[in-house]
């Protein structure tokens, strides 16, 4: 993974495809982390041999007061 950050946003792209014995082959991947309205946002887009680059998973996490 290689990438850059811009303030509260981090963008990463996969520099080499990979696969695990029990997982699907991934040709390309992109990750995005950032702060959106005070919550941590995460998104992962991926491309496989049979699917173009598309959203795979995403989530937000609210800050918890200590």
């Amino acid at each position: 993974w290689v990438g850059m950050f811009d303030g509260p946003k981090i963008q990463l792209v996969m520099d080499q495809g990979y696969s695990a014995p029990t997982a699907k082959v991934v040709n390309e991947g992109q990750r995005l982390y950032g702060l959106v309205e005070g919550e941590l946002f995460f998104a992962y887009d991926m491309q496989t041999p049979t699917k173009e680059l598309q959203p795979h998973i995403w989530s937000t996490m609210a800050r918890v007061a200590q």
Side-chain angles (χ1 to χ4, degrees), residues 24-56:
K24 49 180 111 167
V25 174
V26 177
N27 297 345
E28 183 179 343
Q30 298 180 3
R31 293 180 185 215
L32 173 65
Y33 302 89
L35 291 175
V36 178
E37 297 179 4
E39 294 186 336
L40 176 62
F41 174 79
F42 164 79
Y44 176 50
D45 300 344
M46 64 184 248
Q47 176 184 341
T48 67
T50 59
K51 301 281 185 179
E52 291 295 319
L53 185 68
Q54 60 185 314
H56 182 62

